[in-house]
Each structure stands twice: as structure tokens, then as C-alpha cells.
Amino acid sequence: MSERYVLDLREVAETQVAVVGGKGGHLGGLSRIEGIRVPDGFCVTTDAFRRIMAEVPSIDDQLDQLSRVNPDDREAIRTLSARIRRTIEGIAIPGDLAGAITRALGRHGEQAAYAVRSSATAEDLPTASFAGQQDTYLNVVGPTAILQHISRCWASLFTERAVTYRRRGGIDHRTVHMAVVVQRMVFPDAAGILFTADPVTGNRKVATVDAGFGLGEALVSGLVNPDVFTVRHGEIVARTIAAKQRAVHALPDGGTREAAIDARRQEQPALTDAQVVRLVELGRRIEAHFGRPQDIEWCLVDDDFQIVQSRPITTLFPIPESGDQENHVYLSVGHQQMMTDPMKPLGISVWQLTAMAPMHEAGGRLFVDATRRLASPASRAALLDVVGRGDPLIRDALETVLERDDFVPSLPDAGPGGPPARGASAPIETDPAIVTGLIERSRTSIAALERDIRTKTGPALFDFLREAFEEHKRVLTDPLSMQAIMAGMEATWWLNDTLREWLGEKNAADTLTLSAPDNVTSEMGLALLDVADVIRPHPEVVAFLRGVEAIEYAENAAFLDELAKVAGGAEARDAIESYLDRYGMRCVGEIDITRPRWRERPTTLVPVILDNVRNFEPGAAGRRFEQGRQKAREKERDVLSRLRALPDGDRKADEAKRMIDRVRTFIGYREYPKYGIISRYFVYKRALLAEAERLVEAGVLPEQEDIFYLTFQELHDVVRSHQVDDRLIQRRKDAFRSYHALTPPRVLTSDGEAVTGAYRRDDAPAGALIGLPVSAGTIEGRARVILDMGEADLEAGDILVTAFTDPSWSPLFVGIAGLVTEVGGLMTHGAVIAREYGLPAVVGVERATRLIRDGQRIRVHGTDGYVEILP
């Protein structure tokens, strides 16, 4: 029986993570790959660890205390984790377990030197490497010392860093167990790390080798700078040979020591070119076996490579599946839609089924394949022009890829490059009735959808929805709607470009578009000011809402019923309900149908309502709108009078007047199609959740929201068959959780390279944060770094700093003085609404939420596109 505590490495399958941990499983898998040498050894299994934990009656209480500690309370974590480690290390290893280990040592050489290595069940996983979270001990000699170090490895499951890592990853301490790998020690001439993909750019065609003399410990600990070799297609394309002054060597009686390297060897490469290329070939074999890029620890002994560890590189962004071996260039949909968070599978599949272009999924995000458009010179120029106006970083990233050696093949202009990007911008009259008619058509279509879906259930619902998705796409691609959107955008571009040329004025259109009519998103922000006007005269309502803000209501809808019971509450509830009737389908990340809508979670709006009550006077909405309209009129008069004073001034003024009328007629409509999409999404969602409730009642699903982890087709199949794969849903939940740690690139190639792009500018002060100017003006104020709209706490004059804003953030815009975002372009929603409200704004500021601290004073240069952090 005791032999279940020990498994020889060659007996271990890589699927046995629950038994031998991540490292043990990988080493077992490595030892089975032809041509790969792994030092001999054995695993002390997780059964042994559980046996030890069972010997400590107090361990459950200690783990309970640890699970209750705030992840940011480092002192408490340090104290509790140290106590648990001391407890584990103090347990005497039972005789039968110690006997199994010493017998294994006898088989491999009792007095040989060994590496004793922790192997937790939650490490070296595809979604979380846990690299460096547990301990390894080198050159351990003799059974007594090895048993002692095995105890230390068990205890290292509770180092402060390992505990914190698990807490931040949402991993329960009780679900992780520790195995220990005991391997014959290797005494290498050189050692290091091989990445089978570039860990910085993500390029899967590039491998990098870090190498130093002696044990790899010198590199891992940062004691020396390694030699670095870059290999592509079997050739070394770059090398850096470091001066390696120190090395770590094993001592004869156990342990390790640092030693100086002979001066004549310090600048010699640790590996020959031939050895580097051979090592990368071994790495490619290992990568092929595990099916994903690997981070590999290697040793060189007498010109023979031994592999001592291999784990997935978990930081790489996945590559969309193309089904071919051709080169592809993908553009991030999330950067255009202002939602770079991961989406759940149902959200992804519904967006794919309703989008105007084919979309590819990777890492929980969506991408469009731009390769064909880039291949044809004419469509390439149009695409670069459009994306460059919207987001210069995307244009620069695309140009970087196009400069590469024929990565994107050139097609003749007559080839399948697709229509020119401006194909929808045929002439259209400057007639407000066009917008009115488009809005009415959209409302009629949504009303018909709501009416017709009511009677649909079961498989018939899915047949109906597929037809509804086709109508959805027809509305989206309505030529007149596309013309109206392009007319507003092109008039904006014309005004900015031409008035800069004629008058030397930057971004003149920003003021000319203030309070443009028919902008449903800016109206949404102002309408919440009207809700605040209803609430402000009732102190009991304000006090009640403050209580709601302080606690999380279990049933979000319940707070509206409770609100009606306080003085003035019925009127307040009616105002909020009326607002939700118009805008309740919106939410942060709204392109993902699975995200909770305001109608489903109305408490989300409470902090913003309270800010509006505190920061504004009655009637603020009407005043704000009228002030914007007056400023736009004054700007128009000013621009036209200055133009008339120029040579050929009357013609220039007439042209400008036509474009000003055009931009004010059409620019507000730019926001309406998204409102229509999200309105339809909420209708789809309610029907699908009703279907999910029936599945829960039938015992098919444990809870309604499990449907979010199925694609639309998979959900259809479940409804038809009343059978579901619970393991699939769990895998999808785990994957979705892991996707939050990935940063989606603006541009991604089929080689896996994330191309970031750069601003090619030198017109900002040293130290300024560069971005894209999208709304003119300069403002100075307190930065409020807010990543969750529900946690907003704004004062008048504050500047909102956040990762991205979609239309659901617009209620915050009425109460701020300026805007800074990490993601965005000239025509994305945050930029449009910032201009509507006259807020200086800079978007596309890389890492703004990390470089700007909450509460710092900053100056936003919305005309020139940079942000200064003030002393």
C-alpha cells in the first residue's frame, strides 16, 4: 500500500497532475519524448502530502484563517503562512512513507546527489505557470537530508508569495496539493532557459536561448546576465554575449556555492552556435509534444543536453485559428468597440452571428482578418486611412507589419481586396428627416422583434433567433444608415483638416459638434441628471440610496420596491424606472450579451445618481445642453467671419457652412446603431435566460448563467437534447478566468506576434504621456483612476482616467472635467461624447491607469494629445 506514495518518473503520465503535480507531470511527459534526456528520479505523490496534512488536527483551522485574510494584508499573510510552514516541517514523516522514499533512493543511488523540487497540482498549467511560487533544493545528499527537504517542499506550498498568488488567482488553498520530484543531480558545464516563442513579442517563429556557465541558478537568481541567442527558422539571427563573472557550482558534500569565472572565459559564449541550434530543435520537439510554446530549463553536460523542466508560456496571447498555413494579420475588435475585456462563449458567438464581417476568437476576444484588405494596394490605402484617423497606433502597427519581408503578399487591385473603405459614403442630402426616418425604422424593427419573440420557446426560439439575426444584420448594413454615419464622420474630418489649413486652428470640429441633436448616448447622460432632480428634494430618498450604495443588494431589483416605501420614494422609483425603460439595456462591456444590464442590476446607477445629486443644481441637463448649443453657434459665427476675411473668403465660408450643417445633422446619429444593437441584444438575452430557467427547472443545468459558457449552437443542442457536458462548461469557466490575465494586442499576426504600434511624435514635453487628441481644450484637475463604473466617486472638476469607456460610461461624463483612456480613437464612443459635452480628452494613452495614480493632479491637453503629471 505504501508504494502509492512514490512513482518513478518514467511511470508518470503528464495527465497525472492530481497525483504528481504540474512539474512531475511535465517531467513524466518529457521522459517519453524520443531524443529528449531527462535526469532519472521519482515523485513523492500528493497522497503522501495528504497523509502528512491529516497528521495535523489544527491545519483546518489555520487554513480557514488564511482564506479569510484580505489578499492585500501582507503582514497577516506573512504571519499565518509562516505558522503553517512551521507546523508542516515539524511533523515526523511516518515510517511506512519514509521507507517508501528510501527504497526509491536505493534504486537510484542512495548516496548520490539529488535535486528536491516542489510540484504543486496548480503549477505549470496552460493557464497559470505559478513559476517560482514553490521551492527547489539542489545537490541534496543522503536519505536524512532528502527527507528533510521533502518536508520543506511540502511546507513551501504556503510561502507568502504562493499564498498571495493563489488568492489573487481565486484559487482555494484546499484544492492545491503538493507532490515532490526527487531527481538525480546534473553537474552542467552550462545551463539556462529556452523559450520556444519570443516571450516579449509573442512571435511563435522565434526562439530565444539564455545561457550561462555552471548551474542555471545563477541566471534564475539574477546573479549574472546571460548570453542571449535569438533563433528563427534554424538560424541564429541575433546574439548578445554577456561578461559572465560568476557561476553557481555544486559542492561535493551537498549544497551549492558561487564562484568567480576565470577572466579568460568570462566573455566566451556559454554555447556554440551549433549547440544553440540543436537545443532549439529539441525545444521544437518538446513544444510539438505538449501542443503549445514552452519555457524550458536545460543543462549541458559533455555536449549532451538534459531537460530539467518544461512549462507552458502562459503570458502569450493565443492565435486565432485560420485553418491554413498562410500569413494573417488580425485587428482587435475590442479596441474598436471599447471593450478589451474577455467575453464569454455565448457573447462571442452571438456577436459573430450578428456582425457585418467574419470574426475570429482568441483569448476570449474577437479579431477581424485584415490580410486581404492589406494585400491590395487600393484597399490597403483606404484601410490605413480609416484606421489611422481612428487610432494611429493601429495604423503604425499595420505599417510595421507591411514593412516586413513580404509577410503580406501583394495582390493586384482587381483582386479580392473588398470594396474601398469609403464605399458607403455616396452623396446624401443634408436633411434631418433622414436621421428621423432611420431612427423610426430601427424602433419599429425592435418593437416587431419584442412582439414576435414572446411566443417562441424551445428549438423554435432558436430558429426564430437565427432569422432575427439576419434582420439584425440587414438593419446594420442599411445603405442609408451607413451613408448617414459616414457623412457625419467625413464632415468632421473635412472641418478639422480644412480649417487647420485655412485658419491654422486644430480640431475646430470639436466645438462645432457640441450638443448635436439626436445623440442617444449623450442624451442618456443628461437624462440621469433629470433623475437626480427628482430625487434631490427628498432627503429620505437620498439617505436610502446612500445605504444601497454601502451594501450590495442580493436581489438588485428589490431595492426599487423598497425605495417606494420611503417619503418621496414612489416618485424617485418612477423616475428610475422610466430611465431604465429607455436605457436599461445598457451596461459596461455591452457587446457581450452575457454582461449584466442596468435593468438587471439597477444598483449600478446609484453611485452616479448620488454624484449628480451632490454636484449639480436643478435643471442642469437643460442648461448643459443649451450652453453647448450656444457655444457651437458662437464658434460657427466666429469661423465663418474669419473665413470671409480671407482671399476667396465667401466661397470658403459657404463651403464651411455646408459642412457645419452636415456635421450637426448627422454626427449625433453615429451613436444610434450601437443603441439599436444593444436594444436587440437585451431582447435576445431575456428570451435565452427564460429558456435557461426551463433547463434549470428540468434539472439539465445547475444554474441559469451556465448557458453563458456555451456557444449559441451548443445551447440550441442542449435545449433540443436536454443533455449537457458539465466538464465542458467547467473548462470554459476556467479558461474565461485565465483570459483576464491576458492583454489583447491591437494587431496580432498568425506568427503570434503582438504588434503594439507607436506614436511617431516629438511635439510633447519630456515625460508627458502621449495619446490621441479627440476633444479640444486644456484642463487641470485631480485624476480619478476608475476601472469599475459602479465604484465611481467623483467631485466637480475631476478628470476620469480609465482603461476604456463604452456608451454606458456616458452618465459619468456629465460630472467630470476631462477624460483620459488607454483605448480609443477619434470616432469611438468616449471621444464622441467627450466632444458632445465639451470635455478635453486624450485617448489611446498606453498604461494610463498604471502610470497615473488616483488623486494625482494632471493636465490634459485635449488639443495636442498628451497628458502631464503635475508635481
Side-chain angles (χ1 to χ4, degrees):
M1 280 293 289
S2 62
E3 293 303 331
R4 73 172 188 263
Y5 296 132
V6 173
L7 283 175
D8 195 88
L9 265 184
R10 295 186 186 281
E11 298 176 67
V12 171
E14 63 209 61
T15 54
Q16 291 179 279
V17 171
V19 179
V20 296
K23 186 178 289 136
H26 266 73
L27 286 167
L30 282 166
S31 65
R32 287 175 157 75
I33 305 173
E34 189 177 346
I36 302 298
R37 287 199 57 194
V38 176
D40 287 341
F42 58 91
C43 289
V44 181
T45 67
T46 53
D47 281 343
F49 174 76
R50 276 190 283 265
R51 167 85 180 272
I52 290 295
M53 295 294 273
E55 301 274 329
V56 193
S58 65
I59 201 74
D60 280 341
D61 291 340
Q62 292 183 48
L63 290 177
D64 283 342
Q65 288 180 52
L66 195 60
S67 65
R68 288 195 295 267
V69 172
N70 184 317
D72 296 320
D73 188 347
R74 294 188 61 179
E75 189 55 45
I77 288 175
R78 186 177 297 125
T79 303
L80 284 168
S81 59
R83 188 187 310 158
I84 292 171
R85 288 199 307 278
R86 282 195 303 273
T87 301
I88 293 170
E89 286 187 39
I91 299 166
I93 298 179
D96 59 333
L97 174 50
I101 294 168
T102 53
R103 280 194 294 278
L105 284 171
R107 289 194 296 274
H108 290 279
E110 191 172 283
Q111 290 305 314
Y114 288 87
V116 182
R117 314 171 71 193
S118 309
S119 179
T121 53
E123 69 175 18
D124 296 351
L125 305 179
T127 55
S129 77
F130 283 71
Q133 298 309 309
Q134 281 90 42
D135 291 344
T136 286
Y137 301 97
L138 299 177
N139 204 30
V140 184
V141 179
T144 302
I146 285 170
L147 289 170
Q148 180 186 28
H149 284 85
I150 288 171
S151 287
R152 287 182 181 171
C153 284
W154 288 329
S156 75
L157 192 63
F158 298 98
T159 60
E160 181 188 344
R161 64 182 183 272
V163 167
T164 304
Y165 192 100
R166 287 196 295 273
R167 285 299 304 272
R168 295 197 187 287
I171 295 169
D172 184 346
H173 302 304
R174 294 173 194 282
T175 63
V176 184
H177 300 107
M178 182 65 84
V180 180
V181 175
V182 181
Q183 264 182 302
R184 284 290 292 260
M185 190 68 191
V186 175
F187 302 101
D189 306 313
I193 312 291
L194 159 64
F195 294 99
T196 65
D198 188 318
V200 177
T201 68
N203 194 325
R204 278 30 168 214
K205 298 284 177 68
V206 171
T208 63
V209 175
D210 291 5
F213 293 121
L215 291 165
E217 203 65 14
L219 270 57
V220 174
S221 64
L223 180 66
V224 297
N225 290 325
D227 296 339
V228 181
F229 301 88
T230 304
V231 179
R232 185 185 179 101
H233 300 313
E235 289 184 20
I236 296 174
V237 294
R239 64 163 57 73
T240 304
I241 307 303
K244 300 169 287 297
Q245 296 175 342
R246 315 282 296 169
V248 174
H249 295 290
L251 293 168
D253 297 326
T256 61
R257 67 174 173 86
E258 287 179 29
I261 295 174
D262 184 283
R264 288 166 298 183
R265 290 188 68 211
Q266 286 180 6
E267 297 196 21
Q268 286 181 7
L271 296 177
T272 67
D273 286 4
Q275 286 170 336
V276 170
V277 171
R278 180 152 49 92
L279 175 61
V280 170
E281 287 172 0
L282 294 176
R284 292 287 178 224
R285 203 175 298 175
I286 293 168
E287 177 184 68
H289 176 84
F290 289 118
R292 65 184 69 235
Q294 297 288 302
D295 162 359
I296 297 166
E297 294 180 24
W298 55 269
C299 295
L300 181 71
V301 185
D302 299 327
D303 197 34
D304 188 18
F305 285 106
Q306 297 209 28
I307 305 301
V308 295
Q309 190 161 337
S310 184
R311 63 170 75 91
I313 308 176
T314 57
T315 55
L316 299 179
F317 200 86
I319 306 170
E321 289 184 17
S322 64
D324 61 39
Q325 298 300 309
E326 303 296 317
N327 289 344
H328 294 270
V329 181
Y330 300 101
L331 300 187
S332 163
V333 173
H335 284 82
Q336 297 158 52
Q337 292 295 335
M338 297 298 93
M339 216 296 268
T340 55
D341 289 346
M343 297 168 68
K344 294 190 177 100
L346 186 63
I348 286 170
S349 66
V350 170
W351 188 265
Q352 287 172 316
L353 288 165
T354 53
M356 292 186 289
M359 294 193 176
H360 307 265
E361 183 274 336
R365 277 78 168 191
L366 286 165
F367 295 85
V368 290
D369 188 344
T371 319
R372 276 297 187 46
R373 291 279 294 278
L374 291 169
S376 165
S379 60
R380 178 193 310 148
L383 178 64
L384 290 173
D385 180 43
V386 170
V387 300
R389 287 180 179 277
D391 186 337
L393 291 176
I394 293 181
R395 177 175 183 139
D396 187 75
L398 289 176
E399 287 176 334
T400 300
V401 174
L402 288 167
E403 287 165 8
R404 304 265 166 82
D405 315 335
D406 300 325
F407 187 84
V408 178
S410 278
L411 293 172
D413 279 339
R422 305 272 186 93
S425 58
I428 180 176
E429 291 298 314
T430 303
D431 180 0
I434 292 172
V435 171
T436 307
L438 286 167
I439 290 172
E440 188 51 43
R441 270 156 64 178
S442 176
R443 284 178 180 156
T444 302
S445 175
I446 292 166
L449 171 67
E450 288 177 320
R451 181 188 66 241
D452 295 343
I453 205 170
R454 284 184 194 133
T455 57
K456 306 294 188 294
T457 61
L461 170 66
F462 289 82
D463 295 337
F464 172 83
L465 282 172
R466 286 200 179 272
E467 290 178 22
F469 294 164
E470 292 309 308
E471 165 67 4
H472 180 125
K473 287 194 278 193
R474 190 198 63 71
V475 171
L476 265 185
T477 54
D478 180 338
L480 189 61
S481 177
M482 301 288 283
Q483 288 173 320
I485 291 168
M486 289 307 298
M489 290 169 64
E490 292 191 327
T492 303
W493 295 337
W494 187 95
L495 286 166
N496 280 336
D497 293 348
T498 309
L499 295 181
R500 184 166 189 168
E501 180 189 335
W502 288 347
L503 298 175
E505 185 170 342
K506 291 181 182 177
N507 304 333
D510 293 359
T511 307
L512 293 166
T513 54
L514 288 172
S515 299
D518 300 312
N519 188 319
V520 69
T521 308
S522 63
E523 288 166 5
M524 178 170 72
L526 296 173
L528 208 57
L529 289 175
D530 292 335
V531 173
D533 285 354
V534 174
I535 288 167
R536 194 177 289 107
H538 303 291
E540 295 92 336
V541 172
V542 173
F544 176 86
L545 291 178
R546 284 193 184 125
V548 169
E549 187 183 27
I551 61 164
E552 183 61 46
Y553 258 66
E555 293 293 330
N556 267 273
F559 99 88
L560 290 171
D561 296 331
E562 294 296 316
L563 174 62
K565 298 174 185 175
V566 304
E571 191 183 351
R573 181 195 61 188
D574 291 347
I576 294 171
E577 286 281 7
S578 176
Y579 184 86
L580 291 172
D581 286 344
R582 182 91 204 272
Y583 304 111
M585 78 294 289
R586 309 221 83 149
C587 68
V588 173
E590 59 192 8
I591 69 168
D592 182 350
I593 197 173
T594 71
R595 289 285 189 109
R597 312 283 136 177
W598 290 344
R599 169 55 80 185
E600 297 169 310
R601 197 173 286 177
T603 50
T604 306
L605 294 172
V606 169
V608 193
I609 292 170
L610 288 171
D611 283 348
N612 289 349
V613 167
R614 185 175 68 245
N615 295 333
F616 292 92
E617 297 296 319
R623 280 196 306 278
R624 287 283 296 266
F625 189 79
E626 191 51 41
Q627 285 165 1
R629 193 157 59 179
Q630 289 297 338
K631 279 185 186 174
R633 282 179 181 160
E634 288 165 17
K635 185 67 175 177
E636 179 180 330
R637 284 195 293 269
D638 170 60
V639 163
L640 296 179
S641 70
R642 285 158 63 200
L643 287 173
R644 288 193 184 99
L646 297 176
D648 198 18
D650 286 345
R651 179 189 63 79
K652 289 174 177 170
D654 287 348
E655 276 191 61
K657 171 63 175 163
R658 276 200 305 278
M659 285 298 179
I660 291 168
D661 290 347
R662 198 164 176 77
V663 84
R664 291 197 67 79
T665 298
F666 292 115
I667 200 64
Y669 178 71
R670 164 79 177 75
E671 292 291 296
Y672 202 86
K674 182 75 169 285
Y675 176 78
I677 290 170
I678 303 307
S679 298
R680 298 177 81 89
Y681 266 27
F682 195 33
V683 179
Y684 307 152
K685 182 180 186 180
R686 282 183 294 193
L688 291 171
L689 281 175
E691 205 58 46
E693 185 57 33
R694 285 187 276 275
L695 291 170
V696 171
E697 287 168 4
V700 178
L701 288 175
E703 51 190 56
Q704 264 186 307
E705 294 193 354
D706 282 349
I707 68 166
F708 296 163
Y709 297 95
L710 299 171
T711 66
F712 182 80
Q713 183 58 52
E714 287 166 350
L715 179 54
H716 188 179
D717 293 341
V718 170
V719 167
R720 206 165 35 218
S721 68
H722 268 216
Q723 292 184 326
V724 68
D725 183 346
D726 296 330
R727 288 169 303 176
L728 172 68
I729 289 175
Q730 189 54 53
R731 283 199 305 275
R732 295 267 178 83
K733 287 179 178 179
D734 293 341
F736 176 72
R737 199 178 302 116
S738 76
Y739 293 153
H740 284 278
L742 299 174
T743 301
R746 283 176 166 81
V747 172
L748 179 67
T749 73
S750 49
D751 286 353
E753 185 177 3
V755 192
T756 52
Y759 292 108
R760 310 290 175 179
R761 289 172 46 189
D762 55 8
D763 58 348
L769 308 181
I770 306 294
L772 179 66
V774 295
S775 186
T778 301
I779 193 72
E780 194 174 301
R782 178 179 70 154
R784 293 313 315 271
V785 180
I786 297 170
L787 299 178
D788 181 346
M789 181 181 147
E791 295 175 5
D793 180 16
L794 296 163
E795 300 287 348
D798 282 348
I799 297 168
L800 173 62
V801 180
T802 190
F804 56 81
T805 63
D806 59 13
S808 70
W809 286 73
S810 65
L812 291 184
F813 284 28
V814 298
I816 59 176
L819 173 70
V820 178
T821 68
E822 295 178 342
V823 175
L826 194 62
M827 284 298 171
T828 48
H829 304 281
V832 171
I833 305 307
R835 291 193 291 272
E836 283 276 325
Y837 289 164
L839 303 173
V842 180
V843 302
V845 180
E846 292 278 87
R847 297 171 59 239
T849 59
R850 282 167 280 183
L851 296 172
I852 299 170
R853 290 197 312 276
D854 187 49
Q856 274 186 319
R857 287 195 69 75
I858 61 173
R859 188 181 297 126
V860 177
H861 296 263
T863 307
D864 296 311
Y866 63 88
V867 179
E868 292 180 281
I869 299 174
L870 302 176

